[in-house]
Amino acid sequence: MHLLVTGFEPFGNDQFNASGESVRLVPDKDDGHQITKAILPVSFQRSGQVLAALLQEHQPDALICVGEAGGREEISLEAQGANEDDARIPDNDGAQPVKQSIVRGGEAYRPATLDPEMILQALHQAGHGAYLSEDAGRFVCNHIAYLAYGQNVPALFIHVPALRPAGQKATVGAETDKGEAAIRVQSRTGYTLPELVEALTVVLASLSCQTK
């Protein structure tokens, strides 16, 4: 089985993005899966273009997109994406859309096309803190979730806590949950980067029965 897994580049003044760093460390092959990894730009315009090109090039059997959420302490599986861009702050290209549709005339919400309940159960059985989320925010993560859930490939968007190397603070990453102050996430969550990689590996291993 061929899996495409994406994370995001660093955003704003931060030099680290937990989603991108954890995706980079996922094995290239695991449990019989071939895994293609890619990093998306934190850009409303370019992120969807890059994702579409990756899907066209690799033709994966399943798609897992990963982003970071500064206001969340556990891994969250996004049950749906909303057809709206509404940015609290500009993206890496300086764009700051306000209440704009992602797809004009599209559904208000698109559901995940990989079963998040099954993946949640696998994470819990492996001892990882995780929950289902009904709100992916309105920043670039939600933008990609909505686009991913409209593709002809089973897809799920996953938010991981916006941890940073010890001593650093996340100055961004709270765009998923508006109003969240900049925080030093590692002290709140207890998650480490290896634990996030382990959790993503559990997610990927659980996909076999969903995509047959």
Side-chain angles (χ1 to χ4, degrees), residues 33-205:
H33 301 325
Q34 176 189 348
I35 300 171
T36 296
K37 300 173 288 185
I39 303 300
L40 301 179
V42 181
S43 163
F44 286 100
Q45 179 177 355
R46 292 186 292 120
S47 58
Q49 295 170 350
V50 172
L51 179 62
L54 288 166
L55 290 170
Q56 178 66 30
E57 178 182 358
H58 297 290
Q59 300 289 310
D61 299 303
L63 169 65
I64 295 291
C65 299
V66 186
E68 64 171 24
R72 302 186 183 185
E73 299 184 21
E74 294 185 326
I75 294 168
S76 51
L77 311 180
E78 299 298 343
Q80 62 184 11
N83 189 13
E84 184 180 66
D85 290 336
D86 190 21
R88 180 178 66 86
I89 57 178
D91 67 11
N92 275 352
D93 292 340
Q96 190 175 359
V98 176
K99 297 188 181 302
Q100 293 183 8
S101 295
I102 298 170
V103 177
R104 186 174 299 177
E107 314 97 299
Y109 295 91
R110 286 175 175 170
T113 48
L114 281 170
D115 183 2
E117 292 275 4
M118 185 177 295
I119 294 173
L120 180 67
Q121 182 179 5
L123 285 168
H124 284 171
Q125 289 176 344
H128 292 284
Y131 65 95
L132 294 183
S133 166
E134 297 285 341
D135 188 354
R138 296 296 185 273
F139 203 61
V140 181
C141 286
N142 172 75
H143 184 93
I144 283 297
Y146 187 82
L147 294 178
Y149 295 170
Q151 303 298 319
N152 293 323
V153 58
L156 180 66
F157 193 99
I158 298 174
H159 269 119
V160 298
L163 63 83
R164 295 291 184 268
Q168 295 184 22
K169 290 186 178 181
T171 61
V172 294
E175 287 61 53
T176 296
D177 301 288
K178 292 183 179 181
E180 183 72 14
I183 52 178
R184 192 163 81 188
V185 180
Q186 190 151 351
S187 64
R188 283 182 61 180
T189 67
Y191 267 105
T192 64
L193 187 59
E195 288 168 342
L196 288 184
V197 175
E198 179 186 342
L200 292 181
T201 303
V202 169
V203 169
L204 300 180

